[in-house]
Amino acid sequence: MQLDSVTELCNLTRIVDQNESGTRLEKFVCQNFRSVIISKKLCRDCFKRGEIFVNGKPAESSRLLHEGDIIDLQIDKLALKKDKLEMPVAIILEDEYLAVICKNAGVSIRNLQEALSFVLDGGSGLVKEGKEYTCINQTQRAVNGLIIVSKTREIKTKLMTLLKSGSIRQSYRVLCHGKFPLDDETFFHNHTPPFALQNVTFTRSTSGKEKYITTLDIILNNSSAISSAGIQEYFIQVHHPIVGSNSRSKELKSCKDKSLMMALLEVTFSHPITSEEIKVTINEPKKFEKVRQRELKFFEQKKNETIKELQRYGIEITDQLDSEIIPTAYITGEKEFFKLRFFVSKDTMVPRPSTEYLVREIIDLYLNKLDSGFWKDRGNDDDNMFSILDCGTGSGCILISVLHCILSQKVQTISPHVFGLGLDINSSALEIARKNAERHLKLFVSDNNNYDFQKGDFTSLHNYGLVHNKHFDILVCNPPYLDIARSLPNDDVRNFEPPEALFAEESGYKFYRLLYESLEHSYIKKLDILKEDSLIILEVGNKMAEKVKKIFTGWECIKAIRDHQGFERCLIFIRNSSK
């Protein structure tokens, strides 16, 4: 390898030991020089430049090593630094005084500053005498955009003066939530923006109350111009946050993309030496149009689904359909759950797909017992029964779905009597549950001896005589678990559901604790609500599983079922034999 007089080398040496004999040279280098060779790409570049030697001679990456081989790395430090920086920038304009470059999202100004010597003035990596590279305008790491760079201290001073006086015009493009009220004089009187707005367009979306996202350009061209972070703060304050996933933005309902939908697309200023007007413009990132098209697609799909659902019930479709946020189930009075259609009302929650995990688990437990011959020769005593206690039954969707699946099967083997009791404190919800039972179970039940729905508080089972000495096999509960201290956004459809079915104190854990305490009282008093080997099946909120497991001291969590997002959604407990 030929080196010029200014090349500074990074010299590293290592001898191959007996255990490493037979290893390929590339693998050996990556494993033993990790502090310098941080990636396979970097390693391959070093081989291409002839910087890796075996026993004093340049070697190929595929060479097999032998015990005692001496491995030398003689790496050009500047080349190494350049490889690590990966130069995620493009030069748009450059002369001897300044440059305008485009940085990608994900590149911080600090890292960009380090990379400038590899990008400007031929990109040698060395800062020539008299040169001093400085980024004049600055943006956040997550923002794509144009950066003005001065090449000397004198030019830096001149450009900074222009920036502070508002003589550098910067144009950002953002995607924000909602339909930004550009023509609302009252809105702007109360929320005067510290920048100019133009080129506003709207795209339909499934997110938010207004079902829109807005594309607009922001012009910073005055002495009080704020930073890119300040722009985000303004849009949060006016309740139209920019689309993104950091603390000053908000994700779209249909997409958890990590990108921030904000880019600096244009800069205009007078050249500090020639006084010529410089105007540099780039196209918006492709991700902007992808997001708009995706949101529009999801909106149209949701709209068509809603239209079909309403038409099915003969409900007139109004012009306000696009902006309506009332859950369709509350308009039609029905919701599909576990392939059955359930009546719902303002007194019941709308059944969720996530709750179907509980139904599947109960059915699987029953079928496994049946297949094992558990009920064979059990006679007509309590042991020849499979019973379920549904705490907080609401519309009855959990209990009725289980009973419908079990009772509708033509079982060839001996099967037990199946019974389910649904409890709820809301009398109106119980009426809905009874209607649903009549709708789905009347074909399989002649005298209603397979189910019952009664008014009862599951937090006081030890004081509720109806469940004493019943020896239920399963207790299932989907309690309220949204933290009452965290209010829902105004555009959240859950605002239409009964709050007593959604919210709980103690960060959402109150009803888990009360249920546990009631069961403990019942065991102390030997009320026999459950059998010795009965199971408790609970739905839990995102990231709540571990604390719920701790609440149920004396119970072993024998299974945790994850939902499609990977969160533990359903927990199954059995009482420890020692208790």
Side-chain angles (χ1 to χ4, degrees):
M1 178 177 66
Q2 293 184 345
L3 304 171
D4 60 45
S5 58
V6 297
T7 301
E8 186 178 357
L9 297 179
C10 175
N11 293 292
L12 299 168
T13 301
R14 196 181 185 290
I15 299 175
V16 178
D17 61 31
Q18 184 178 3
N19 294 332
E20 296 165 325
S21 181
T23 304
R24 290 177 67 250
L25 178 56
E26 181 178 359
K27 182 178 180 180
F28 180 91
V29 170
C30 289
Q31 289 179 338
N32 291 280
F33 300 98
R34 290 177 182 173
S35 61
V36 176
I37 308 298
I38 61 174
S39 68
K40 288 185 177 181
K41 177 184 179 301
L42 194 56
C43 185
R44 288 193 290 270
D45 290 341
C46 290
F47 277 110
K48 288 179 182 178
R49 292 194 294 265
E51 297 174 338
I52 299 176
F53 299 80
V54 176
N55 301 325
K57 296 181 180 180
E60 298 292 330
S61 62
S62 59
R63 176 169 176 165
L64 295 179
L65 300 177
H66 301 285
E67 182 182 0
D69 283 344
I70 301 173
I71 312 303
D72 288 312
L73 273 63
Q74 299 179 18
I75 301 175
D76 182 344
K77 285 188 176 181
L78 285 176
L80 183 64
K81 183 178 179 181
K82 182 177 181 180
D83 287 339
K84 287 182 177 181
L85 290 170
E86 294 185 347
M87 303 309 109
V89 296
I91 301 174
I92 309 300
L93 177 149
E94 183 180 15
D95 63 20
E96 61 181 303
Y97 304 105
L98 57 83
V100 180
I101 61 178
C102 179
K103 88 169 187 69
N104 294 338
V107 180
S108 68
I109 292 296
R110 179 179 178 179
N111 289 344
L112 178 61
Q113 190 81 40
E114 292 182 6
L116 291 176
S117 62
F118 294 101
V119 176
L120 303 176
D121 293 323
S124 66
L126 298 173
V127 180
K128 299 178 180 178
E129 185 178 353
K131 295 288 186 179
E132 182 181 295
Y133 302 131
T134 305
C135 296
I136 302 301
N137 59 318
Q138 301 196 3
T139 64
Q140 295 167 278
R141 184 189 189 101
V143 178
N144 288 76
L146 297 171
I147 303 296
I148 303 170
V149 179
S150 62
K151 291 188 175 183
T152 66
R153 186 168 298 181
E154 178 187 0
I155 298 300
K156 171 187 173 181
T157 301
K158 292 178 180 293
L159 287 172
M160 283 297 184
T161 301
L162 291 176
L163 182 68
K164 292 176 181 179
S165 67
S167 299
I168 296 181
R169 183 179 186 269
Q170 302 176 72
S171 177
Y172 284 86
R173 178 162 296 174
V174 302
L175 263 62
C176 69
H177 287 260
K179 195 171 186 179
F180 195 84
L182 188 65
D183 300 323
D184 188 334
E185 294 183 4
T186 302
F187 173 87
F188 280 101
H189 177 74
N190 297 326
H191 306 287
T192 304
F195 41 71
L197 298 169
Q198 64 182 30
N199 300 331
V200 179
T201 59
F202 306 110
T203 305
R204 299 316 307 256
S205 168
T206 57
S207 295
K209 180 178 180 179
E210 297 175 312
K211 305 301 181 189
Y212 280 96
I213 54 174
T214 301
T215 304
L216 70 164
D217 291 344
I218 296 165
I219 312 302
L220 305 183
N221 61 351
N222 57 68
S223 58
S224 62
I226 60 176
S227 65
S228 58
I231 294 173
Q232 286 185 262
E233 288 290 352
Y234 170 80
F235 281 92
I236 287 175
Q237 291 172 9
V238 299
H239 308 296
H240 291 277
I242 294 173
V243 175
S245 60
N246 65 16
S247 60
R248 297 190 185 97
S249 60
K250 181 182 177 183
E251 294 177 331
L252 289 166
K253 177 181 178 181
S254 59
C255 175
K256 306 300 181 183
D257 196 311
K258 300 299 181 184
S259 299
L260 179 66
M261 295 296 122
M262 183 177 188
L264 176 51
L265 302 184
E266 183 178 293
V267 293
T268 305
F269 60 98
S270 295
H271 195 289
I273 300 299
T274 66
S275 298
E276 174 189 2
E277 182 181 84
I278 305 292
K279 183 177 181 180
V280 179
T281 305
I282 58 173
N283 295 326
E284 71 172 17
K286 293 180 180 180
K287 63 184 180 182
F288 279 58
E289 182 61 18
K290 286 182 179 179
V291 168
R292 287 191 290 261
Q293 290 301 318
R294 183 176 59 216
E295 287 300 297
L296 182 60
K297 176 184 175 181
F298 288 154
F299 174 81
E300 292 296 337
Q301 287 177 346
K302 180 66 175 177
K303 179 179 177 181
N304 291 335
E305 289 171 3
T306 302
I307 289 173
K308 289 179 181 179
E309 184 80 1
L310 296 176
Q311 287 176 336
R312 176 177 177 174
Y313 291 89
I315 296 173
E316 182 179 356
I317 302 169
T318 66
D319 293 336
Q320 282 73 41
L321 177 64
D322 287 351
S323 60
E324 186 61 79
I325 67 168
I326 299 175
T328 306
Y330 286 153
I331 300 175
T332 64
E334 293 187 6
K335 177 66 176 179
E336 184 172 307
F337 177 84
F338 212 74
K339 298 183 179 180
L340 299 174
R341 297 201 69 81
F342 285 85
F343 295 115
V344 295
S345 75
K346 61 181 178 61
D347 298 297
T348 67
M349 283 177 57
V350 176
R352 311 285 206 267
S354 59
T355 306
E356 293 184 355
Y357 289 100
L358 281 68
V359 175
R360 292 191 187 96
E361 287 304 313
I362 298 173
I363 294 170
D364 286 347
L365 288 166
Y366 170 81
L367 293 177
N368 289 337
K369 266 193 170 184
L370 190 67
D371 291 343
S372 70
F374 179 82
W375 288 288
K376 188 177 181 180
D377 301 326
R378 294 262 171 173
N380 294 319
D381 58 14
D382 288 343
D383 287 337
N384 195 27
M385 176 179 284
F386 183 75
S387 55
I388 305 159
L389 177 60
D390 182 11
C391 295
T393 192
S395 65
C397 62
I398 296 175
L399 182 58
I400 293 168
S401 296
V402 172
L403 294 176
H404 181 274
C405 181
I406 292 175
L407 297 174
S408 64
Q409 294 186 40
K410 294 181 179 179
V411 181
Q412 302 299 322
T413 59
I414 296 174
S415 59
H417 178 69
V418 179
F419 176 77
L421 173 62
L423 300 181
D424 206 289
I425 59 173
N426 188 320
S427 299
S428 298
L430 288 169
E431 287 303 312
I432 296 294
R434 293 183 183 112
K435 282 180 61 179
N436 284 321
E438 178 71 14
R439 170 185 254 189
H440 295 301
L441 301 180
K442 64 181 180 180
L443 292 176
F444 317 109
V445 178
S446 58
D447 54 2
N448 290 359
N449 67 343
N450 290 98
Y451 67 86
D452 193 12
F453 292 95
Q454 293 293 333
K455 188 170 185 178
D457 184 352
F458 68 78
T459 65
S460 298
L461 295 176
H462 57 293
N463 294 324
Y464 188 59
L466 190 63
V467 298
H468 297 171
N469 301 307
K470 295 298 184 182
H471 302 95
F472 288 99
D473 294 275
I474 302 288
L475 185 154
V476 62
C477 185
N478 178 17
Y481 55 69
L482 293 183
D483 185 357
I484 197 170
R486 297 183 181 181
S487 59
L488 295 173
N490 293 332
D491 57 5
D492 196 308
V493 295
R494 289 175 293 183
N495 286 310
F496 289 89
E497 297 183 295
E500 64 272 15
L502 290 174
F503 296 102
E505 297 173 349
E506 302 173 19
S507 300
Y509 294 97
K510 177 181 178 179
F511 290 103
Y512 295 106
R513 177 182 61 79
L514 292 177
L515 174 60
Y516 167 76
E517 291 176 354
S518 182
L519 289 173
E520 290 302 294
H521 285 305
S522 72
Y523 274 101
I524 293 171
K525 295 180 180 181
K526 298 182 179 180
L527 300 177
D528 295 332
I529 297 174
L530 303 177
K531 297 177 181 178
E532 289 292 330
D533 59 349
S534 294
L535 301 178
I536 296 177
I537 302 179
L538 302 176
E539 180 169 325
V540 296
N542 294 353
K543 302 179 181 179
M544 296 179 72
E546 290 306 314
K547 189 165 182 178
V548 172
K549 292 175 187 177
K550 292 179 180 178
I551 289 173
F552 278 77
T553 303
W555 292 78
E556 179 186 356
C557 181
I558 59 174
K559 189 175 183 181
I561 298 93
R562 295 183 181 274
D563 61 18
H564 67 284
Q565 292 180 310
F567 293 109
E568 289 185 329
R569 180 65 61 187
C570 173
L571 301 180
I572 303 179
F573 293 91
I574 189 169
R575 192 164 176 82
N576 288 334
S577 57
S578 60
K579 296 289 285 187

